[in-house]
Amino acid sequence: MLYKLLLLLALTLGAGRWAAPAAAQAAPADTVAARHPAFDVEAATRHYLDTLTPAQKAKSDAYFEGGYWLQLWGLVYALGVAGVFLGLGLSRWLRARTARLPRRWQRTWAYAALYLLLAAGLSFPLTVYQGFVREHQYGLSNLTFGAWLGEALTSLAVSVVFGSLLVLALYGAIRRAGARWWVWGTAIVGLFVVVGVAVGPVFLSPLFNKYTPLPAGPVREGILSMARANGVPADNVYYFDASKQSKRISANVSGLGSTIRVSLNDNLLRRCTPAEVQAVMGHELGHYVLNHIPKMLVFLLVLISIGFWAVDGAFGWLVRRYGARWGVAGLADVGGLPLLAALFAVASFLATPVTNTIVRTNEQEADLFGLNAARQPDGFAAIAMKLSEYRKIEPTPLEEIIFFDHPSGRTRVQSAMRWKAEHLDGR
Ligand SMILES: [Zn+2]
């Protein structure tokens, strides 16, 4: 599951998706409509929220809240998969099959690659439910099963190639650095994530979508003008065909160094007004200009080092008690990889509110940057409402802190109306 976490990191970082939650920040009363007391921020926010019908709200709440449970079931399932490897002997069998290879690194690499494939196979029912069945139940996917499976297999191939090399490097650190392996492990993960995020837009994203320059027209001119005004070269703005996968509107900032870019999807340009597209572009420019990707890398590596340290302690404790039964000799034994993966899955599950809050805080910064850059508070509020297709619009504050990796629709509409209240005189 380590590779999954890393892939997730790369995706979360790479795609500072406009779509995620932030701590509910109720505006202190004294900041609301300070300059224009006649404009009621709360009433304007409520007006937007009430444009959602009860049926639409029930549907998006059910979809999003189902996601909370899926995180828990995902963890339980992952522990079940680890149980098959350790308790039912799949790990012993795998190690015996790879034992004939002449060199230790070959045995480690072969075990890792086969483990990743078998674990993905065992997880396949949950993957199909989560990625295909459920998305269709809620009318969020445009993919046939064949097309979905093709994409899932492409992702798996990428995961096995990168994941097995990462595992090989981590076992190298474990075998050479001893008790300090987690320090080296963090550096190795950092290297993989940096390379993955940097090459992602050039080599990985094109495996799934076609990226082209923006189509000509007034919308393009407005977007590129805002990009230039904020120091982002027009060459770094792309357009991609997300409509083959779903009707979701989205955009993202991806890449690192020379590969950094803003990508807008075709659903956004087709389904939204020019003011709404400007509002989204302002947000994405915020991620770009505020260097959110490098900052997130730093935060996440700190979390990973803490995770490795905790996993190291738990692994030692469990192997002293159950190592003989599971056929795991110690940390340097690759047969313990399923246990390491399970412990990392537990650690990343427990860290979810922290990672969500780190991401959501960046998203909120990008929201505010975008309001200032695009000056389209109503466009921004309208987009926040459209995102309710896949995100609960009005969670409780605690729910937003724990589960949301972007600000909720309510927080976003309120930010927009607060900005509007302070700029009613056109300043
Ligand atoms: Zn964003």
Side-chain angles (χ1 to χ4, degrees):
M1 304 303 145
L2 188 58
Y3 74 98
K4 270 194 183 165
L5 181 93
L6 292 169
L7 205 66
L8 195 79
L9 286 189
L11 290 175
T12 315
L13 296 174
R17 278 176 197 276
W18 171 173
Q25 288 193 347
D30 62 345
T31 67
V32 173
R35 202 185 291 169
H36 293 276
F39 184 85
D40 184 337
V41 171
E42 280 310 309
T45 303
R46 180 47 53 198
H47 178 76
Y48 268 107
L49 295 175
D50 288 346
T51 58
L52 212 58
T53 66
Q56 287 171 322
K57 188 167 183 300
K59 188 177 166 192
S60 74
D61 285 3
Y63 176 74
F64 200 74
E65 288 167 11
Y68 306 164
W69 288 102
L70 267 179
Q71 292 176 45
L72 180 63
W73 297 132
L75 176 68
V76 171
Y77 202 105
L79 295 180
V81 168
V84 172
F85 276 96
L86 298 169
L88 298 185
L90 186 56
S91 182
R92 283 175 199 265
W93 177 83
L94 201 53
R95 208 176 30 192
R97 304 298 298 176
T98 53
R100 271 179 247 141
L101 288 164
R103 297 183 179 277
R104 188 167 68 172
W105 72 263
Q106 291 169 336
R107 295 193 290 275
T108 303
W109 178 78
Y111 179 101
L114 290 169
Y115 163 77
L116 291 172
L117 277 174
L118 288 170
L122 290 169
S123 305
F124 190 66
L126 183 64
T127 309
V128 172
Y129 171 70
Q130 186 165 357
F132 183 78
V133 176
R134 187 166 179 267
E135 293 299 297
H136 277 274
Q137 276 173 351
Y138 284 93
L140 291 171
S141 176
N142 291 338
L143 291 172
T144 61
F145 186 73
W148 175 84
L149 188 63
E151 291 195 352
L153 291 175
T154 305
S155 302
L156 177 63
V158 172
S159 302
V160 170
V161 171
F162 282 101
S164 60
L165 291 175
L166 175 62
V167 169
L168 186 60
L170 287 176
Y171 273 93
I174 288 171
R175 288 163 186 163
R176 290 200 175 81
R180 297 248 168 194
W181 72 270
W182 56 275
V183 179
W184 288 97
T186 304
I188 289 165
V189 171
L191 188 70
F192 270 76
V193 175
V194 165
V195 171
V197 171
V199 306
V202 182
F203 295 110
L204 301 180
S205 303
L207 295 174
F208 302 95
N209 289 96
K210 195 167 170 238
Y211 288 76
T212 53
L214 281 170
V219 173
R220 175 179 191 269
E221 289 319 307
I223 289 171
L224 295 185
S225 165
M226 191 170 32
R228 287 190 298 267
N230 287 282
V232 176
D235 288 353
N236 295 10
V237 181
Y238 288 79
Y239 173 78
F240 66 104
D241 59 342
S243 57
K244 72 175 195 181
Q245 282 108 351
S246 79
K247 62 174 184 144
R248 292 181 188 214
I249 49 178
S250 87
N252 65 70
V253 172
S254 62
L256 201 60
S258 62
T259 66
I260 189 164
R261 65 199 57 197
V262 175
S263 305
L264 305 175
N265 85 8
D266 56 350
N267 294 321
L268 176 74
L269 268 68
R270 252 182 236 149
R271 291 179 52 202
C272 300
T273 65
E276 291 166 359
V277 175
Q278 287 266 329
V280 171
M281 185 63 183
H283 171 97
E284 299 305 337
L285 290 174
H287 285 309
Y288 189 119
V289 173
L290 300 172
N291 286 312
H292 279 163
I293 291 180
K295 287 177 188 167
M296 292 271 288
L297 284 173
V298 173
F299 272 121
L300 288 159
L301 286 178
V302 170
L303 284 178
I304 291 217
S305 68
I306 297 170
F308 276 161
W309 174 80
V311 163
D312 181 59
F315 185 95
W317 188 85
L318 284 166
V319 165
R320 280 192 294 279
R321 275 158 191 77
Y322 307 105
R325 193 186 305 170
W326 292 339
V328 178
L331 197 60
D333 174 6
V334 72
L337 180 59
L339 179 58
L340 275 184
L343 291 172
F344 221 85
V346 173
S348 57
F349 177 81
L350 295 176
T352 304
V354 178
T355 47
N356 278 347
T357 295
I358 292 170
V359 177
R360 193 180 59 243
T361 304
N362 279 357
E363 293 298 334
Q364 225 158 11
E365 287 178 11
D367 281 358
L368 297 177
F369 182 98
L371 283 165
N372 286 319
R375 308 181 72 81
Q376 298 286 0
D378 286 292
F380 185 84
I383 281 282
M385 295 308 298
K386 284 186 175 168
L387 294 178
S388 71
E389 277 173 8
Y390 54 88
R391 183 174 301 126
K392 186 172 181 176
I393 197 85
E394 215 176 345
T396 66
L398 186 63
E399 198 177 2
E400 193 159 347
I401 288 169
I402 295 174
F403 293 112
F404 279 61
D405 62 359
H406 280 67
S408 70
R410 189 203 145 74
T411 300
R412 287 183 141 167
V413 173
Q414 191 185 42
S415 299
M417 293 302 103
R418 199 168 58 207
W419 190 95
K420 187 177 177 180
E422 299 296 342
H423 294 80
L424 283 176
D425 52 9
R427 279 201 271 166

